[in-house]
Amino acid sequence: NEKVAFVGDDKATEAFFKIIMGEDEDYEGEFKWGVTTSQSYFPKDNSKYFNDCELSLVDWLRQFTDGTVYEQDLRGWLGRVLFSGEEALKKANVLSGGEKVRCMLCKMMMSGANVMILDEPTNHLDITHQIMLMELVKKLNVTVISAIHDLNIAAAYCDKIYVLKDGVLEGYGTPEEVLTPELIRRIYKVEAEIVYDSRGKMHILFL
């Protein structure tokens, strides 16, 4: 149930995610999922799930079931991602970016997958919705592998971090082990200082 972040090289991370999700078969080497794992994928571009879709959120979510799920249960799933009451009747094609992300997360949760792959889930979200999303993800009782731009978000919500540059793994470990001023300088070409608040939470200050 670890929460893992990939940072530093968006193109390499996206390519890796497509390989492990079976969307790209043109690669060398091999990988194998554990026999007890099942996967669900959050693509960087989720527009095809919402554009020109005039279904309510309840009916939008129903598309991804076998058709036997009761409306009360669908509303229950939507409630877990903060769509309650009349909000569950919103049309899918009028949602904000943050609401679309929550819907995609709901779809993934309902699938029963125990490994979720999220390709830049916080992209284009304001800080309020980034935190809301990551709080939801942190509480999930599944393994989550994410591509994340914001190093402070990655440090706050992820147990392990992989740092990539030009397709090469440059570091791996806990945020405290990996996100050092030296590594940040080498990968991002900026100066940084690591500080801890009164709760012991790690923060990265860019100088």
Side-chain angles (χ1 to χ4, degrees):
N1 297 330
E2 280 192 330
K3 308 303 183 282
V4 178
F6 281 76
V7 303
D9 189 333
D10 299 339
K11 290 184 178 180
T13 301
E14 183 178 7
F16 173 64
F17 284 0
K18 286 183 176 180
I19 289 171
I20 65 175
M21 291 307 300
E23 293 191 1
D24 183 356
E25 298 181 354
D26 183 20
Y27 63 92
E28 297 180 0
E30 61 181 38
F31 74 93
K32 186 175 182 180
W33 287 106
V35 294
T36 61
T37 65
S38 55
Q39 303 82 38
S40 186
Y41 182 43
F42 179 110
K44 183 179 297 186
D45 181 5
N46 57 45
S47 58
K48 69 178 182 181
Y49 292 95
F50 301 99
N51 289 352
D52 303 319
C53 180
E54 297 188 358
L55 297 174
S56 71
L57 296 191
V58 170
D59 289 329
W60 179 88
L61 192 60
R62 196 190 311 274
Q63 298 177 99
F64 308 107
T65 72
D66 61 6
T68 63
V69 180
Y70 292 112
E71 180 170 329
Q72 181 179 352
D73 295 325
L74 294 170
R75 283 178 172 271
W77 283 108
L78 289 166
R80 293 180 65 181
V81 292
L82 309 180
F83 289 110
S84 58
E86 292 299 309
E87 288 189 322
L89 299 179
K90 279 187 175 181
K91 300 295 185 183
N93 61 354
V94 300
L95 299 178
S96 68
E99 289 172 330
K100 290 176 181 177
V101 169
R102 282 154 55 197
C103 282
M104 290 297 293
L105 185 60
C106 184
K107 168 184 172 292
M108 297 172 76
M109 290 163 55
M110 194 177 67
S111 74
N114 57 19
V115 179
M116 293 185 179
I117 313 295
L118 311 180
D119 194 354
E120 297 187 19
T122 58
N123 204 21
H124 304 307
L125 300 185
D126 61 34
I127 189 62
T128 300
H129 287 98
Q130 288 183 37
I131 292 173
M132 181 186 298
L133 171 67
M134 296 309 295
E135 290 284 355
L136 285 170
V137 168
K138 186 69 173 178
K139 294 174 183 176
L140 296 177
N141 191 33
V142 299
T143 296
V144 180
I145 304 172
S146 305
I148 296 178
H149 282 295
D150 190 313
L151 295 183
N152 278 302
I153 291 285
Y157 292 100
C158 296
D159 305 304
K160 297 288 176 59
I161 294 179
Y162 286 84
V163 182
L164 301 178
K165 183 179 182 182
D166 299 327
V168 177
L169 181 64
E170 297 283 348
Y172 163 72
T174 66
E176 293 80 7
E177 292 169 340
V178 173
L179 298 179
T180 63
E182 293 76 20
L183 180 135
I184 292 171
R185 183 186 307 116
R186 178 159 50 88
I187 301 299
Y188 295 95
K189 310 301 182 187
V190 296
E191 297 298 322
E193 179 182 354
I194 309 301
V195 299
Y196 293 85
D197 62 24
S198 59
R199 299 168 298 171
K201 297 289 187 179
M202 173 183 174
H203 299 275
I204 302 167
L205 304 181
F206 296 100
L207 307 176

